Amino acid sequence: MTDNKIENGGFEDFAVREHRSLWLDAWRRLVANKTAMIGLIVVVVFILSATGAHFFWEYEARADLDYNKKLLAPTILATEEAPEIHLFGTDKLGRDIFRRTVHGGWNSLRVGLVAVGISLSIGGILGLLSGFFESINMNFRESLALMTLMGAGLGSLPAWIARQPMQILLFAGLGVASVLYDRYLVDRKSPRQLYFAILGTLIGGIAGILVGFWVAFVCAILGLLIGLILARPVGGKIFSSIVMRAMDIILSFPSYLLAIAIVAFLGPGLEKGMIAIGVVGIPVYARLARSAVLSVSQKEYVLASQSVGESHGRILFRHILPNILSPIIVQSTMGLANAILSAAALGFLGLGAIPPEPEWGAMLGDSYKYLSSGAWWAVLFPGLAIVFSVLGFNLLGDGLRDALDPKIRA
Amino acid sequence: MGRYILRRLISVIPTLIGVTLVIFLFQRLIPGDPAVAMLGEHATEENVARIREQFGLNRPAFLDRDALAEGDLTGFFDSQYIRYFRRLVHLDLGDSIHRRIPVAETLKERFPATLELSLLSMFFALIIGIPAGIASASRRNSTVDGVTMVGSLIGVSMPIFWLGIMFIMLFSVFLKWLPSGARLSTGVEIQTITNLLLLDSLLTGNFAGFVDALKHIIMPAVALATIPAAIITRMTRSSMLDVLQEDYIRTASAKGLAERVVLFRHALKNAFLPVITIIGIQAGTLLAGAVLTETIFSWPGIGKWVYDAILGRDYPIVQGVTLLIALIFLLVNLAVDLSYAILDPRITYD
Amino acid sequence: MNVEKQILVQVKNLIKYFPVYQGIIVNRHVKDVKAVDDVSFDIYKGETLGLVGETGCGKTTVGRTILHLYKPTSGQILFDNIDLTLLQENELRKVRNRMQMIFQDPYASLNPRMTVGSIISAPLDVHTTFTRKEKQDRVQELLKLVGLNPDFVNRYPHEFSGGQRQRIGIARALAVSPDLVVCDEPISSLDVSIQAQVVNLLEELQNKLGLTYLFIAHDLSMVRHISDRMVVMYLGKIMELADRNSIYLRPLHPYTKALMSAVPIPDPELSSRRERIILKGDIPSPLNPPQGCNFNTRCPIATDLCFQSEPEYRELEPDHYVACHYAEPPQ
């Protein structure tokens, strides 16, 4: 406890605590947590072995094939009969399982990082913006951007029906008009619904008539509806509820099925698997970011920065973002664990990694048929690899959660 | 409250429509022509065209704008999606492209198997998870707590299919105690009423059948239950810990109430809310985890069926099953939301 | 005082309603929370205007709306003859450096992840083109001004006590030398001993820098100490406005009378002789203010007239305004 007394106009100052940055505090807590440290060690070992293997231990998967050595049990010491050491045994094609397991780590690591990266960036931004605009009113430029997008988006339907891309521009313009109307004509009593409905109908009808009567008819009706929707500039709350509703739709699919469907669409390959798992995870981060932003933006320092006159961008980056990092970091760590599990599941089903790429799930999928003939090593070791790496991340994530946001429990 | 229920029920509809759109969209985008997949690669052009015509695969996906340009308003709306939607409204899920059997029929056959497995798993998950969580929370930092925490953490880190394989390895291959697949041993018959075999066998007084069905279902059920059990344990524990800190708990203990009363009457009710949310989510995960478990245990449910259908481009099956699962998901979540209102009188919906 | 009093802020017929949305399929605008319901007053340059009332009477909303943190539903706010309600965003931002706010909660009003120096220099970043050195100097200057050790620039808010944090908030508010400072219950969250310190600091700063304060609070004795004039609000409307002594010694509105009768007097004899007016009932919901005078549900002298028509806000004595049917200037 430092005691700084300053005579200054009669005031005395006591610094309450030693100077420590919040991140340093969190680090100390993390280090003190034994299980978290175990997790950290496991994670470090995992990362090091995976990257080390990829860059330094040569492995040509396609060339690795030796039917003579099919399904040998694990050996630790070389003997006359089995001159080569196979720590984890060999699989159905005679490949050394230990080597494939270590190399498989690299694939799992990649999938985890990319998938979480996708989920985090897309979901995080969506959630951030949703939460932000729910609490703070959009300024002129933001409204303009949003309404242009909405106009273009809504207008793409009649544009597609009539095969006229021009309509997208016209309806985007209608969105712009809505914002300008709101800003410069303050008369609340004017029948803006009516004006915009008419404008919309005209846009659809006139553009459509160039193609044919019925097209014009349908486009006019659509234009009417679009005009009504665009009449009042969309507020942040509506934006947020649209985004969250979209997230709900993604969430109403069980994640495995959705991932399988996406991979079926995109084709086989590890990269496609990454995208699939990434997309499936978007709503998780969106919801998390949004609720974190909402709780932060209620705090008075955000209001204070508005009264100071800070711009939205500055508020977002200096005030909101640094204060929502904790739950996002924790979720990303756990998310990595989940991504590895999902990748393994996809690999097991034959989606994801293209054989003969070493991937833990795929290795399991290949070998479990041989279980009945007693080849237990082919399924035990890749599975253990999955369990350990996932466990490591989960332990670390748990520890991070306690370290970053300690709640003192009596 | 009634208003809130009404509002929630109504909001399910647009989400459901959105779901049908997404499902439909996906299937359309998957490369590969089901007609070709059905007839084989060497089919003649004519036959392929005929099959496509028969299944309406030659109509445009959503809307026929060419028809509209020619002034055909009704033709405009005649598209694959609209046809699909109309049949849906009549509860017709279409026929499997490959087998020509109505999807709804196969669904009725196979769904109870998945349902039985999911229900039993959920049951196990709950009877293990909740007591473990409560015990762990009330004896914080003791051995019980430590063991539970480690156990649940490991449970969450395990791939379900690996666990299933390990179970088979241990109990079927090495110990030979339990069978490794299917719902019943060959030769064993149970009269099917609901096709939930455990239930049916009890209803018909078929004790031997019950034992056999149990032997077959126990491994996949326990394997499937592990992850939800672990998650429920963790959630219950953390929620209970939060609640046990509160002042009103201290008051209750200070009043001299027995620990059990304090735990169950006061703490649990308030701690239960987040746990229910998790249970809802887990219900969905169980249905989905079915794919992997069913593959390993050769369980004749919808999981494996829909997986094969996705790869075989058998659209109606995929659409039908996904729709059913999405619907169940939504209803479970609705039930969860409604239970909030019952559990927490502070939540007002107006 | 014979010095010609300049008006710094004019609030004219300010209304702020918060819409409540309900509905099954479409959320419709059903009701309004009438937080501020037709409020008018002036703030003179250099004075401290106290704004008091119960929780929920709208005083915080008034403060925030004057600063345009909320957009008024209707009415005008003139700051130094500039109508704020007519300004666009960028023009508004230019005016913001002339009016600042001090917040109630010293724990929530400072960003826990920013250093004290960054917090205080934030207004400088926005409104000035100072170089880094100039900003640092200004921050040092401000810290000394509020009585904090300038070495604390690189510390984080969680390292300080409540009173110190509040002083950091004051330093931030003063960074761009505003004319008006709205103090939104600045001492309500502090320990009593610290409260006095902070109030003294505020007075000192007012003298030194020629500030104008709108002091929002519910602690009547503290407000009396610091204010020149006072406004008493109830359920979104002004009940009484007068100079400090008139409010305390000769309140004319029954609500003010009840409030004043509850303020503790240090003299036990006087205190025991005083008649306490105890109001019955609770404050009605701002969703549904009563017909007629807002105070009629709790007023000890309410009559049928009070339930039928709203009292006029009239000047009963010079610079003494009351909104009550039965208030009479003393003979």
Side-chain angles (χ1 to χ4, degrees):
Chain A
M1 299 286 134
T2 42
D3 230 33
N4 279 333
K5 275 197 201 170
I6 287 248
E7 294 293 329
N8 203 332
F11 291 115
E12 290 176 355
D13 271 331
F14 298 89
V16 181
R17 286 205 336 227
E18 278 174 51
H19 174 50
R20 271 211 297 248
S21 127
L22 282 172
W23 294 111
L24 207 61
D25 262 354
W27 174 250
R28 284 193 190 193
R29 278 193 291 266
L30 186 68
V31 173
N33 183 343
K34 295 199 201 84
T35 41
M37 281 296 104
I38 296 179
L40 186 60
I41 293 175
V42 171
V43 167
V44 167
V45 165
F46 167 63
I47 295 180
L48 283 180
S49 65
T51 36
H54 178 77
F55 289 113
F56 300 118
W57 193 5
E58 295 297 320
Y59 181 60
E60 185 52 60
R62 272 162 288 228
D64 192 8
L65 192 55
D66 192 342
Y67 285 107
N68 291 332
K69 297 204 229 110
K70 218 162 72 145
L71 292 178
L72 297 176
T75 50
I76 304 182
L77 299 170
T79 63
E80 273 189 42
E81 282 178 4
E84 286 175 11
I85 298 176
H86 296 290
L87 269 176
F88 287 174
T90 60
D91 66 3
K92 69 177 186 195
L93 293 180
R95 301 175 286 198
D96 179 26
I97 293 184
F98 177 69
R99 188 172 194 164
R100 280 173 67 79
T101 305
V102 177
H103 276 91
W106 170 248
N107 282 326
S108 298
L109 184 63
R110 274 197 306 155
V111 173
L113 287 175
V114 173
V116 170
I118 295 177
S119 306
L120 184 59
S121 45
I122 300 180
I125 293 184
L126 284 176
L128 188 67
L129 291 177
S130 295
F132 185 70
F133 289 123
E134 241 183 275
S135 6
I136 298 184
N137 289 323
M138 286 197 202
N139 59 24
F140 179 63
R141 265 183 287 171
E142 289 155 356
S143 282
L144 210 57
L146 183 61
M147 288 310 278
T148 317
L149 257 129
M150 266 196 76
L154 289 171
S156 55
L157 181 58
W160 178 76
I161 290 181
R163 287 207 165 93
Q164 289 173 324
M166 171 58 90
Q167 288 202 29
I168 296 184
L169 257 114
L170 291 173
F171 280 110
L174 195 61
V176 171
S178 175
V179 182
L180 292 174
Y181 188 94
D182 196 54
R183 180 168 158 106
Y184 292 113
L185 279 79
V186 224
D187 179 10
R188 283 163 197 285
K189 304 258 189 330
S190 64
R192 55 192 326 167
Q193 314 280 80
L194 185 62
Y195 292 162
F196 277 86
I198 294 178
L199 269 172
T201 321
L202 284 175
I203 294 179
I206 295 181
I209 205 78
L210 296 171
V211 183
F213 172 71
W214 281 107
V215 176
F217 180 68
V218 170
C219 288
I221 295 186
L222 285 173
L224 178 78
L225 291 171
I226 296 179
L228 284 175
I229 297 177
L230 291 180
R232 171 138 242 156
V234 163
K237 293 202 173 53
I238 301 185
F239 168 72
S240 164
S241 58
I242 294 178
V243 171
M244 285 299 128
R245 187 56 78 93
M247 297 293 112
D248 280 342
I249 292 185
I250 298 184
L251 276 177
S252 61
F253 295 90
S255 51
Y256 279 148
L257 268 187
L258 193 58
I260 293 174
I262 296 179
V263 171
F265 161 46
L266 292 173
L270 204 56
E271 293 75 31
K272 321 286 173 53
M274 295 178 197
I275 298 177
I277 300 175
V279 167
V280 167
I282 290 178
V284 173
Y285 292 85
R287 277 200 178 174
L288 187 68
R290 173 179 172 269
S291 75
V293 169
L294 282 180
S295 66
V296 164
S297 54
Q298 314 286 5
K299 298 257 166 75
E300 284 187 338
Y301 59 82
V302 173
L303 196 63
S305 56
Q306 282 181 286
S307 80
V308 161
E310 299 187 44
S311 69
H312 282 184
R314 195 188 150 106
I315 295 179
L316 209 51
F317 283 108
R318 294 196 101 197
H319 295 281
I320 296 190
L321 204 55
N323 286 293
I324 60 169
L325 283 180
S326 310
I328 291 187
I329 291 179
V330 172
Q331 178 61 47
S332 301
T333 314
M334 314 282 252
L336 217 91
N338 263 326
I340 297 180
L341 274 176
S342 305
L346 285 178
F348 178 75
L349 292 173
L351 310 166
I354 308 175
E357 279 291 312
E359 199 273 314
W360 293 336
M363 289 163 72
L364 277 172
D366 280 342
S367 315
Y368 91 99
K369 307 186 252 294
Y370 300 96
L371 197 56
S372 43
S373 44
W376 54 270
W377 53 89
V379 293
L380 181 68
F381 293 110
L384 279 180
I386 301 177
V387 173
F388 275 116
S389 48
V390 172
L391 190 62
F393 280 107
N394 275 331
L395 282 173
L396 185 60
D398 251 8
L400 280 173
R401 181 193 292 137
D402 283 336
L404 288 172
D405 211 3
K407 289 189 212 157
I408 299 140
R409 291 191 169 141
Chain B
M1 234 284 261
R3 216 188 203 168
Y4 176 72
I5 298 179
L6 189 64
R7 182 146 48 108
R8 282 294 264 112
L9 277 172
I10 293 184
S11 77
V12 167
I13 297 176
T15 317
L16 213 50
I17 296 183
V19 166
T20 63
L21 259 162
V22 173
I23 296 174
F24 187 81
L25 201 68
F26 257 119
Q27 287 299 288
R28 276 302 150 273
L29 296 173
I30 293 182
D33 191 336
V36 173
M38 204 162 56
L39 295 175
E41 304 219 321
H42 305 288
T44 62
E45 289 269 329
E46 278 174 11
N47 285 337
V48 172
R50 196 166 38 87
I51 292 290
R52 302 194 66 194
E53 169 94 37
Q54 192 179 352
F55 284 98
L57 294 171
N58 56 342
R59 300 294 306 155
F62 288 107
L63 292 167
D64 192 353
R65 41 195 180 153
D66 294 317
L68 189 67
E70 288 160 28
D72 183 0
L73 193 60
T74 33
F76 177 53
F77 288 111
D78 184 14
S79 68
Q80 292 192 41
Y81 180 68
I82 302 281
R83 289 189 182 184
Y84 164 65
F85 199 76
R86 290 172 86 186
R87 274 186 274 135
L88 263 188
V89 173
H90 290 116
L91 295 177
D92 173 11
L93 291 169
D95 300 343
S96 153
I97 292 185
H98 290 197
R99 298 255 172 89
R100 323 290 182 87
I101 308 173
V103 170
E105 210 179 283
T106 325
L107 199 60
K108 251 191 287 184
E109 267 174 41
R110 301 189 77 123
F111 183 62
T114 305
L115 186 64
E116 190 180 25
L117 187 57
S118 305
L119 285 176
L120 197 61
S121 299
M122 187 48 108
F123 173 69
F124 284 145
L126 287 176
I127 59 169
I128 296 176
I130 297 183
I134 297 178
S136 188
S138 58
R139 286 175 235 302
R140 201 162 175 244
N141 292 329
S142 66
T143 354
V144 170
D145 188 21
V147 166
T148 321
M149 281 312 287
V150 170
S152 60
L153 208 49
I154 296 181
V156 170
S157 312
M158 276 199 283
I160 171 124
F161 48 93
W162 183 73
L163 188 62
I165 296 177
M166 289 289 111
F167 273 18
I168 294 182
M169 190 169 87
L170 187 59
F171 293 110
S172 295
V173 178
F174 284 140
L175 293 177
K176 300 204 195 329
W177 285 353
L178 296 172
S180 67
R183 294 181 84 185
L184 291 172
S185 314
T186 40
V188 178
E189 289 266 319
I190 296 183
Q191 191 185 342
T192 50
I193 311 171
T194 59
N195 209 6
L196 296 172
L197 293 183
L198 290 178
L199 189 62
D200 287 343
S201 54
L202 286 176
L203 288 176
T204 53
N206 184 347
F207 189 65
F210 181 77
V211 170
D212 190 59
L214 192 62
K215 271 207 271 185
H216 279 93
I217 202 177
I218 192 97
M219 262 206 302
V222 171
L224 199 54
T226 319
I227 297 180
I231 297 182
I232 291 176
T233 308
R234 283 156 65 83
M235 198 43 162
T236 310
R237 177 180 179 272
S238 92
S239 183
M240 281 291 279
L241 279 178
D242 277 341
V243 165
L244 284 173
Q245 271 208 98
E246 300 279 345
D247 285 339
Y248 60 85
I249 297 292
R250 239 189 282 171
T251 313
S253 307
K255 274 200 279 180
L257 294 174
E259 187 192 347
R260 183 166 295 174
V261 176
V262 173
L263 268 182
F264 288 105
R265 182 106 63 85
H266 294 272
L268 195 56
K269 225 193 322 175
N270 292 300
F272 219 54
L273 216 61
V275 182
I276 294 238
T277 316
I278 297 288
I279 293 178
I281 301 177
Q282 293 310 308
T285 315
L286 274 178
L287 282 175
V291 181
L292 299 158
T293 324
E294 288 181 13
T295 311
I296 302 173
F297 288 98
S298 312
W299 194 259
I302 57 177
K304 185 78 166 51
W305 183 47
V306 76
Y307 171 66
D308 290 331
I310 292 179
L311 295 182
R313 315 274 184 268
D314 202 335
Y315 300 159
I317 299 180
V318 182
Q319 286 161 353
V321 171
T322 319
L323 200 61
L324 178 66
I325 294 185
L327 184 63
I328 294 180
F329 234 60
L330 287 173
L331 289 177
V332 167
N333 280 324
L334 181 64
V336 166
D337 281 347
L338 291 179
S339 64
Y340 282 175
I342 302 175
L343 278 181
D344 192 347
R346 288 177 300 178
I347 296 180
T348 49
Y349 301 93
D350 65 313
Chain C
M1 281 229 262
N2 289 328
V3 179
E4 182 67 41
K5 286 197 280 188
Q6 271 185 303
I7 298 181
L8 182 60
V9 179
Q10 279 179 294
V11 176
K12 293 190 184 169
N13 304 108
L14 182 64
I15 294 182
K16 177 66 191 162
Y17 291 166
F18 292 101
V20 173
Y21 296 100
Q22 256 182 40
I24 298 186
I25 302 185
V26 183
N27 270 335
R28 261 167 303 132
H29 175 184
V30 188
K31 321 184 246 226
D32 289 304
V33 173
K34 301 194 167 84
V36 178
D37 203 358
D38 199 357
V39 160
S40 306
F41 60 87
D42 300 329
I43 308 180
Y44 295 111
K45 208 168 157 79
E47 75 163 345
T48 301
L49 181 65
L51 179 54
V52 297
E54 295 178 50
T55 318
C57 70
K59 50 192 201 297
T60 301
T61 312
V62 166
R64 293 185 181 178
T65 314
I66 288 180
L67 244 52
H68 252 71
L69 289 171
Y70 299 149
K71 203 160 161 229
T73 310
S74 83
Q76 282 183 305
I77 301 172
L78 286 108
F79 183 83
D80 204 6
N81 283 321
I82 308 169
D83 190 344
L84 296 178
T85 48
L86 297 177
L87 294 179
Q88 304 291 5
E89 281 144 22
N90 41 340
E91 295 162 350
L92 189 61
R93 186 176 299 177
K94 292 201 203 104
V95 183
R96 278 201 192 283
N97 65 343
R98 299 181 59 190
M99 46 184 193
Q100 286 291 311
M101 193 165 199
I102 300 172
F103 294 86
Q104 173 177 357
D105 185 350
Y107 292 90
S109 59
L110 305 175
N111 186 341
R113 305 242 174 224
M114 281 173 80
T115 60
V116 166
S118 328
I119 292 177
I120 298 179
S121 60
L124 299 173
D125 294 332
V126 178
H127 292 284
T128 67
T129 47
F130 285 3
T131 63
R132 210 169 133 198
K133 178 90 178 42
E134 286 172 326
K135 283 189 230 182
Q136 281 175 349
D137 291 339
R138 177 81 177 133
V139 170
Q140 298 269 322
E141 195 188 317
L142 288 163
L143 281 171
K144 283 198 219 131
L145 195 61
V146 298
L148 289 172
N149 186 342
D151 287 339
F152 289 167
V153 175
N154 286 319
R155 304 219 176 184
Y156 288 91
H158 67 269
E159 307 181 50
F160 294 97
S161 70
Q164 289 171 317
R165 288 186 198 201
Q166 203 59 308
R167 286 194 241 153
I168 296 173
I170 295 174
R172 170 178 61 192
L174 297 178
V176 282
S177 311
D179 299 317
L180 172 71
V181 179
V182 176
C183 309
D184 189 358
E185 310 218 35
I187 51 177
S188 311
S189 312
L190 302 173
D191 290 331
V192 178
S193 52
I194 309 288
Q195 285 184 6
Q197 275 186 12
V198 174
V199 171
N200 284 336
L201 173 64
L202 286 173
E203 285 183 311
E204 196 188 300
L205 291 169
Q206 182 175 38
N207 288 332
K208 235 192 246 181
L209 303 171
L211 300 168
T212 308
Y213 286 153
L214 176 63
F215 197 89
I216 303 173
H218 56 256
D219 180 345
L220 295 167
S221 38
M222 198 55 91
V223 179
R224 172 187 189 172
H225 174 77
I226 193 176
S227 311
D228 299 313
R229 295 188 308 146
M230 277 173 58
V231 177
V232 178
M233 276 185 74
Y234 182 79
L235 211 57
K237 290 195 188 291
I238 298 185
M239 297 287 111
E240 190 163 357
L241 187 160
D243 64 277
R244 156 187 60 199
N245 289 329
S246 301
I247 293 273
Y248 274 88
L249 303 174
R250 294 192 318 271
L252 298 178
H253 191 286
Y255 179 56
T256 323
K257 287 189 196 167
L259 284 178
M260 292 305 137
S261 77
V263 178
I265 303 179
D267 184 339
E269 214 191 293
L270 270 178
S271 179
S272 60
R273 268 197 275 148
R274 175 175 61 167
E275 193 186 311
R276 280 287 304 275
I277 305 175
I278 300 183
L279 297 173
K280 51 186 182 348
D282 274 318
I283 189 167
S285 159
L287 276 169
N288 219 348
Q291 281 268 43
C293 174
N294 270 1
F295 188 52
N296 57 22
T297 53
R298 302 171 75 189
C299 184
I301 61 172
T303 65
D304 282 338
L305 178 62
C306 302
F307 284 90
Q308 281 162 11
S309 69
E310 227 185 279
E312 200 195 316
Y313 183 59
R314 46 202 174 115
E315 190 174 3
L316 287 181
E317 289 178 336
D319 289 331
H320 191 155
Y321 300 80
V322 187
C324 177
H325 291 298
Y326 295 105
E328 296 288 328
Q331 258 55 42

